[in-house]
Amino acid sequence: MALNLTEKSSSDRLRVGECLVVLSSREVHLPGTRKTPRLTPKSVGVLLALARRPGQVVTREELFADVWPDTMPTNDVLTQAVTQLRKAFAFTEAGEGTSYIETIAKTGYRLLAPVAWESSPELAAVDAPAAAGLAAVHASVTPEQDATRGRHRRLRRHVLMLIGIVLLLSTVVMGWLLWGRAAPVPQDATVADGNRVLGSPARPYRLITATEDAEVNPSLSPDGALVVFARERDNSSSLWIQSVGNATATPLLVTPAGATDRFPVWSPDGRSIAFARFLPQGDCEVLVVSATGTGLRRVTRCDGTDMLSFDWAPDGGSLLFGSMTGRYASRGIRSLNLASGRWSSLQYTMGADDFDYAPSYSADGRKIGFVRNPQVGDMWMMDADGSNAQRLTNDAAEIRGWSWLGSDEMVFGRRIDSESRLYRLDVATRMLRDMGIDNAQSPSVSRGGGNLVFMRSQFQSGLFRIPLGASRAPPQRLFASSARDGQPIVSPDGTQLAFTSDRSGAFALWWARLNEPASLQLIEGMRPEARQPMDWAADGRHLLVTGRDADGAPGIYEVAPEEGHWVKLAVPVREPLQAVYGAAADNLLVVERGDDERMALTLFDRSQQPWKRLASLEGVSQVRYDRAGQRILFTRLANGGLWQVAPDLAAGSIKPVHAELPSRWRYRTWAVAANGAVEYQDISRDCSSRLTAIAGDGTSQCLDPTRFSAGNGLSLAPDGSAVFIALGLTDSTDIGIMRVPHRAPRRVMGLAKWLSP
């Protein structure tokens, strides 16, 4: 008999085998026993579900749908309900509850005992017709109808589960969107009520120096309260110290006459400062002095030629040095114990041409960050023992100072177009973010104070034609503007000049005829690269320019400047950095950085498609072609000096031109005249911009005693009678300070920052 339990109101007494179950009290009455077990409501529900189909298997899913329709229970709750039923029925003469309820493995349960409704005592007076009608109702429910109701219950349960999952996923997605969304645009703090001006918007930093001198190389004390820096005046430099407020700076110590003090670095305990002193004879020494300016002592000698870098170890007992040049040259990063004076080299992997610069320990002392080849380099990091060296950026950029932000972030200065900007780098995700500070470099972060200082330089430069040799004609200012003009390249016939400038508000390529100032025009649609020189074709009709596209990818562009047209060349290299015309009409020389991150000079024949590689020379940082001497001149990435090689790059034709000049850092400030003269521009003690012949008689001429060159290129008149150069007109260099901004949300696999990386 099938039971319709939805219509059981005629009785709450269910006979199950020998047992009588009173549903209202949930009691199980057994004949001949005094103990009356009581069931839980869910156990009663399971019993009723089994009683609907006595002798038939009822699956677990059907029981869940009937007894727990709006929840998602586990198998344990069903097992507990069946166990309680079996214990209650175990008081029968059979003595075993399993004789009433059978378990069907991996499926469900079956009620074996016969079941029947019994009339309640209070319903004994029910007339026979009513009883017969009730029986008819019970009999009218067929097994097919009962199965249909079970399917409906299961379907409802599955729909409710699906709705719950959808709601949970939508909650997670909404939380991610709200957490990672950009901060709301604040109201304009310079305008009140939309109709009254309040003032200028606040900068994220403030300047703590504002003198006529140039303040450079700032270093912040560990507590963020004091800053020590180098103050440059009349081609000399001394160390000064002041609080991070706008208090007056005081000299840290007296610099001897003729010497120059630079690169101060605070010790981890804030008691000492290490710095470099450059001596008149070209030597240098690294010194340590107390923060009060007393107890000066020398820790090592060095060579004053190029690119000295060092920092303190976390325990303050040693100094960590980058690669060194000159008489005390050393490849790679090494440590100097201050107590014993002993050196120990760090064992790690580096290429033959690599120069590792500015090493520094992370805040927790577990990592060492450094710059590899800062002229055209990237940020690197390795474990403190030298293992696991890895590149963090992939820009081949000119890095201008850097510092740790805690133990998992860096901040560094990078030249971009005509200025240097600050960027922060997440070392785990390799994510770069512009900090929104222009004209900034040389950052320094306090270990515990949360402050960041940096050098802010507002440099304005102009183009000049300066006669060379015995001529005493005054310098001639070209195409005057109030912007940054640089990289002047004169055409082979001496009539045209191409240069880069931000005079239009955006960094761009410009061209003009020297005797026609009104011919000055902007070459639209392309963005030149500031660090690499351009190169004229022999006929003066075309110009090779290194540039970047809208996505920042480097490329080589061939420009017809007079027509204002250009085309991007299909150079078959991953990262072209410079290109010059070769000896043959279809030959191009390309300085490239390959897949192995190594620099090389490659000779291409572009008359074939794809271009054919004819020869290659590794370790080249910059190149010029000397048409008069039928030779290729180049500088190397690994060390200073100038070399020459035959136009076909034959290895046996490589010869040195000068052993030291250009220096490694000033590898761009040299030029070749049409007559084969090679001139190099640098700085001397009594001249801010000096030109020296490095292929010839070695004569030297001071171009300007007080104004520095822009440092990114110059060119010579075809006959060598004049130099075209960008000189600084104003250079306001001060120290800025700001609080270290909070890090933007870090996302891992698309989730918000609250997930641990």
Side-chain angles (χ1 to χ4, degrees):
M1 178 181 65
L3 302 175
N4 186 351
L5 296 179
T6 62
E7 301 183 82
K8 68 183 187 327
S9 57
S10 59
S11 175
D12 71 339
R13 299 164 68 88
L14 180 66
R15 175 70 63 179
V16 181
E18 301 177 15
C19 303
L20 178 64
V21 181
V22 181
L23 301 179
S24 59
S25 62
R26 306 194 308 276
E27 294 177 341
V28 181
H29 296 274
L30 299 104
T33 62
R34 296 180 180 180
K35 187 173 181 64
T36 304
R38 176 165 289 172
L39 303 174
T40 64
K42 294 301 182 183
S43 297
V44 173
V46 172
L47 175 61
L48 294 177
L50 294 173
R52 290 193 194 96
R53 297 159 62 185
Q56 298 183 30
V57 178
V58 182
T59 65
R60 288 178 174 268
E61 289 74 16
E62 292 172 332
L63 291 172
F64 285 143
D66 287 343
V67 184
W68 293 272
D70 299 322
T71 59
M72 291 182 287
T74 63
N75 288 328
D76 293 340
V77 296
L78 177 57
T79 302
Q80 292 172 5
V82 174
T83 300
Q84 188 185 43
L85 289 173
R86 284 173 171 166
K87 287 181 179 180
F89 297 149
F91 290 98
T92 63
E93 290 182 0
E96 295 181 2
T98 54
S99 64
Y100 277 43
I101 302 175
E102 179 186 10
T103 300
I104 307 302
K106 299 182 179 180
T107 303
Y109 300 94
R110 177 167 58 183
L111 183 60
L112 301 178
V115 297
W117 288 106
E118 288 191 357
S119 299
S120 301
E122 62 273 17
L123 297 178
V126 176
D127 59 347
L134 181 60
V137 170
H138 286 301
S140 65
V141 181
T142 65
E144 290 77 8
Q145 290 173 320
D146 190 63
T148 300
R149 290 190 179 94
R151 287 194 295 270
H152 289 168
R153 292 189 183 96
R154 290 194 299 273
L155 178 60
R156 182 178 64 174
R157 180 170 177 266
H158 292 158
V159 170
L160 290 174
M161 290 177 61
L162 179 61
I163 292 174
I165 293 173
V166 171
L167 289 175
L168 178 61
L169 291 176
S170 63
T171 301
V172 171
V173 172
M174 183 62 69
W176 169 60
L177 293 174
L178 291 175
W179 193 272
R181 68 179 179 177
V185 178
Q187 296 296 320
D188 191 347
T190 68
V191 177
D193 301 327
N195 55 20
R196 182 163 51 91
V197 175
L198 296 180
S200 301
R203 292 176 175 175
Y205 65 90
R206 57 185 174 86
L207 299 178
I208 59 175
T209 63
T211 68
E212 294 182 354
D213 302 324
E215 285 86 13
V216 300
N217 308 135
S219 179
L220 200 57
S221 62
D223 61 1
L226 296 173
V227 60
V228 60
F229 56 86
R231 175 171 287 175
E232 296 182 345
R233 176 188 300 173
D234 299 331
N235 294 326
S236 65
S237 176
S238 57
L239 300 186
W240 293 66
I241 190 170
Q242 76 170 70
S243 69
V244 295
N246 288 81
T248 302
T250 59
L252 177 65
L253 73 169
V254 176
T255 302
T260 297
D261 292 342
R262 287 179 177 160
F263 311 136
V265 185
W266 284 91
S267 64
D269 60 8
R271 297 180 179 178
S272 302
I273 297 171
F275 67 97
R277 175 167 288 171
F278 298 89
L279 304 173
Q281 296 78 16
D283 293 336
C284 78
E285 52 190 8
V286 177
L287 307 169
V288 173
V289 66
S290 73
T292 60
T294 60
L296 182 67
R297 61 190 178 99
R298 184 177 68 192
V299 297
T300 188
R301 294 183 182 274
C302 51
D303 190 283
T305 56
D306 208 11
M307 300 178 69
L308 176 67
S309 63
F310 52 88
D311 195 12
W312 291 84
D315 61 1
S318 60
L319 291 177
L320 191 67
F321 282 78
S323 299
M324 295 177 65
T325 62
R327 286 169 293 174
Y328 305 95
S330 175
R331 291 189 68 252
I333 298 171
R334 56 180 180 159
S335 178
L336 173 64
N337 186 287
L338 298 181
S340 65
R342 293 182 178 177
W343 290 93
S344 58
S345 297
L346 206 61
Q347 301 301 315
Y348 65 101
T349 302
M350 62 181 304
D353 298 325
D354 290 335
F355 187 91
D356 293 341
Y357 181 72
S360 178
Y361 283 97
S362 61
D364 58 11
R366 297 180 180 179
K367 302 289 185 181
I368 294 176
F370 59 95
V371 183
R372 176 157 287 177
N373 305 322
Q375 317 99 309
V376 283
D378 290 298
M379 297 300 307
W380 282 67
M381 179 182 70
M382 62 184 173
D383 294 339
D385 61 359
S387 61
N388 195 31
Q390 52 188 307
R391 179 170 45 83
L392 301 178
T393 63
N394 188 25
D395 286 337
E398 183 180 320
I399 306 295
R400 295 192 171 188
W402 77 279
S403 182
W404 284 99
L405 281 172
S407 296
D408 57 358
E409 269 196 303
M410 297 174 174
V411 56
F412 63 90
R414 180 196 188 280
R415 183 184 177 91
I416 179 74
D417 295 338
S418 60
E419 64 174 345
S420 179
R421 301 181 64 85
L422 292 185
Y423 297 84
R424 63 190 304 170
L425 169 66
D426 188 318
V427 300
T429 64
R430 308 295 196 267
M431 182 66 70
L432 271 176
R433 289 185 174 87
D434 190 316
M435 297 185 66
I437 305 175
D438 56 352
N439 302 306
Q441 57 186 313
S442 303
S444 173
V445 180
S446 60
R447 292 176 180 265
N451 284 337
L452 163 67
V453 295
F454 57 90
M455 188 177 88
R456 189 168 193 272
S457 176
Q458 293 181 290
F459 186 76
Q460 177 195 348
S461 56
L463 302 180
F464 290 85
R465 180 187 184 278
I466 302 178
L468 299 178
S471 174
R472 293 288 184 250
Q476 177 189 0
R477 177 79 183 274
L478 305 173
F479 313 113
S481 75
S482 59
R484 296 183 178 100
D485 299 333
Q487 298 176 279
I489 302 294
V490 66
S491 62
D493 61 4
T495 64
Q496 307 171 71
L497 189 74
F499 62 96
T500 58
S501 176
D502 60 356
R503 60 177 59 205
S504 66
F507 189 70
L509 175 66
W510 291 77
W511 169 90
R513 292 194 174 276
L514 286 170
N515 59 351
E516 300 176 20
S519 64
L520 182 65
Q521 65 177 4
L522 167 70
I523 309 300
E524 297 184 355
M526 68 159 299
R527 180 178 176 180
E529 177 63 64
R531 62 190 170 175
Q532 302 293 348
M534 298 169 276
D535 188 56
W536 283 98
D539 60 7
R541 297 179 58 187
H542 294 91
L543 188 69
L544 289 178
V545 182
T546 305
R548 293 184 178 268
D549 60 21
D551 296 325
I556 303 300
Y557 297 80
E558 189 166 38
V559 183
E562 190 165 8
E563 291 80 17
H565 299 155
W566 54 267
V567 62
K568 186 176 182 179
L569 301 181
V571 184
V573 301
R574 183 179 71 89
E575 191 171 5
L577 301 179
Q578 185 198 358
V580 300
Y581 292 101
D586 291 319
N587 285 359
L588 283 187
L589 293 154
V590 178
V591 177
E592 62 170 308
R593 191 167 75 156
D595 294 333
D596 56 358
E597 310 304 327
R598 298 181 66 82
M599 303 273 288
L601 172 64
T602 303
L603 176 63
F604 285 101
D605 178 2
R606 63 170 174 168
S607 65
Q608 304 184 38
Q609 296 298 327
W611 293 11
K612 182 179 179 180
R613 288 176 179 259
L614 302 179
S616 186
L617 180 63
E618 288 196 349
V620 174
S621 59
Q622 201 152 99
V623 64
R624 311 281 195 281
Y625 180 57
D626 175 15
R627 294 185 177 89
Q630 290 294 297
R631 58 179 180 169
I632 295 172
L633 300 170
F634 64 93
T635 56
R636 292 187 180 274
L637 192 67
N639 47 285
L642 185 67
W643 281 263
Q644 70 177 41
V645 67
D648 60 356
L649 300 187
S653 64
I654 299 176
K655 297 178 182 179
V657 177
H658 198 283
E660 298 179 358
L661 303 178
S663 70
R664 186 196 309 268
W665 185 248
R666 300 183 64 84
Y667 71 106
R668 298 174 300 179
T669 59
W670 60 285
V672 183
N675 60 6
V678 182
E679 301 280 351
Y680 169 66
Q681 185 270 318
D682 65 347
I683 303 169
S684 65
R685 181 166 300 279
D686 57 352
C687 183
S688 296
S689 296
R690 177 176 294 278
L691 201 67
T692 301
I694 57 177
D697 56 9
T699 58
S700 181
Q701 176 178 335
C702 182
L703 303 179
D704 196 292
T706 59
R707 290 185 290 199
F708 293 96
S709 166
N712 62 344
L714 69 156
S715 62
L716 298 171
D719 58 0
S721 62
V723 59
F724 294 84
I725 192 170
L727 295 178
L729 302 176
T730 61
D731 187 6
S732 175
T733 305
D734 296 299
I735 306 299
I737 185 170
M738 62 184 292
R739 294 293 295 174
V740 175
H742 295 295
R743 180 164 59 188
R746 174 189 287 173
R747 295 192 177 96
V748 181
M749 296 180 66
L751 299 181
K753 69 176 182 180
W754 43 264
L755 289 181
S756 170

